[in-house]
Amino acid sequence: MNSNKAVKSTKPLFYLIAILIPIVVLVGLESLLRVLNYGEKQAAFIPVPQLSGYLQPNPRLIERYFSVPELAPKVSPDTVYFKAQKAKDTFRIVIQGGSSAAGFPFGRFGSLQGMLQQRFKLAYPDKNIEIINTAMAAVNTFTLVDIQDEILQLEPDLVLVYAGHNEYLGVLGAGSVMGAQSSYGTTLMYLKLKSLRLFKFLEASYQHFKVDAVPSDQANRTVMASAAKGQNIPMDSAVYQQGIHQFSGNLDLLLSKYKQEGVPVYIGNLVSIEKDLIPFSGMNQAYQHALGLFEAKEYEQAKQSFILAKDLDELRFRAPSEFNDIIKAKAKEYDATLVDVETKFREAAPQGILDHSLLLEHVHPTKLGYFLLADAFFESLVTSEIPWVANLETNNAKEWSPISELNERYAVLKMQNLMNGFPFTDTPKILPKIAVETAFDQLLLRRLKGENWLLLQQDLLKFYLQANNLKQAALVAGIIADALVASAESHNTAANLFRKANQLNLALYHQRQSLRLDPDSEKYQMNLAFDLFLANRFDESLLLLHNVKQNTQDLPRVTFFIDKVSTAKEAFSKFKELPER
């Protein structure tokens, strides 16, 4: 009797031990893998090795979603350096999205970030507005949600979102071969488990034993070709509805958290080509009908039929129009600002139908298209409650778009290569080699060969200076200065060239950046005083000059400039007092 009681009394202990042993083993294995530095999570932002105190978006971020790195597409966010410790006078904006937000094929300086940054420089040269772009090709809203906490650690003042085209065929998308799970909830759980090293170890072990883990032609395939399973996704099919549920659910997670943290969000609706591109899954009746209506000049009906043809395209490299309804509803629900990109594009498109004048192929804008994308976000900021934002004359901003001629030529060739393969054609052609006849052609050829980007930009700057093309030289110098974010002299060079090219606001911006980096430089103070003088901001110019006067080794020169500015100030005051005729 007593022995039976003893056995019963020990049963709970056995159960507890049975539960604890696997937990202890799992925790131990996780700790061991941490000690061995196995499976460390790819952070969204990493330190810049050669620049202390700066961070950049992680170029290996995409590997976060693949147990075997070789399976990951060769994509990454563009390189942008920014201070790890946000300065008090910095207004920080973070961009989230896919390849259209990243600026493909123009890259950083033709992207939403590059265009918008230039817009802010022109409108507000005295302010330090910092834009960090986390967008990259092949990702969708799962990545946006996944890196949100790391973005919040950067203390953003604003977040801009332009995403949706990769929802089906991007990484973890409902119809993608790249890590897709069986359901939306399963994918969210998968993202949580990915942070465990033991899970990564087990997943990688499984993948390495799979015969088809790494396709033999993976290196030669485009991201688009790698993304599609080869199966179409009909409208209202189970996979189609999964994509709708995924997009809607992820926007709930993303926007609700930003609202909870008090970070304003500006989210753009989506644009994609309607005319000039036969649906990827093949000519459908709606597209044929649209062409007939367009030929008959029934443009409004043609537009609706083109939209329907896009929505019926079963190879879903373009977001269905239903996504724009979701974006509008979620923006309203979570007090985000809806940026009407679609209306901005339709106002600029022939007959309001989106074609190759604004979009290079299916979703990526032309140079003008990227300007319009940034313009839509800029105008939304103008009409917001942010006190320092004011409008800027559009033509002036468009004229100084930060896409160099070399970048534009390179982008055209890059796009030709993309459209020479799946899903644009089943019969790739041998593309003609570029004719190398000029020094500019030599630079383009070097760019195509993948030579060092910075050295190429510096040689391009020399090329324009020798040709006395001050405008292009200034634009390239500005691009170099933005890339070498901690180089005061690069900003000073850009300022001098913008001044010579009669673009005073960009000169003011870059001169102020040089002085931020080296506040004791007499040269930079004198140059900024000269820019302020040219802008008729005489009091600010004199304040700088008197500051220089206290420590200068060249007192006669500084005194001479003080007299000049004082005289100009007096003359300007008298001129303003003259009666109008």
Side-chain angles (χ1 to χ4, degrees), residues 141 247-256 267 326-327 330:
T141 50
F247 187 61
S248 178
N250 283 340
L251 286 187
D252 282 329
L253 294 172
L254 190 75
L255 298 179
S256 62
I267 182 168
I326 295 172
I327 291 169
K330 297 303 179 185

Side-chain angles (χ1 to χ4, degrees), residues 185-228:
T186 305
T187 304
L188 289 177
M189 183 180 295
Y190 172 76
L191 286 173
K192 294 292 184 184
L193 290 172
K194 287 286 283 185
S195 62
L196 297 175
R197 296 168 191 258
L198 181 57
F199 180 83
K200 288 181 180 178
F201 174 76
L202 294 173
E203 186 185 30
S205 299
Y206 170 73
Q207 289 287 357
H208 277 298
F209 279 109
K210 285 178 67 177
V211 176
D212 60 345
V214 183
S216 59
D217 65 339
Q218 182 77 17
N220 297 320
R221 303 175 73 195
T222 66
V223 174
M224 294 181 74
S226 299

Side-chain angles (χ1 to χ4, degrees), residues 475-507:
L475 282 172
V476 174
I479 287 169
I480 292 172
D482 285 342
L484 300 177
V485 64
S487 170
E489 189 54 34
S490 292
H491 281 289
N492 181 63
T493 299
N496 286 335
L497 286 169
F498 279 119
R499 189 183 306 117
K500 291 176 181 178
N502 297 316
Q503 180 37 261
L504 189 55
N505 274 16
L506 290 177

Side-chain angles (χ1 to χ4, degrees), residues 423-437:
F424 299 96
T425 180
D426 293 325
T427 55
K429 301 176 182 177
I430 298 176
L431 297 175
K433 294 181 179 180
I434 65 165
V436 181
E437 300 173 350

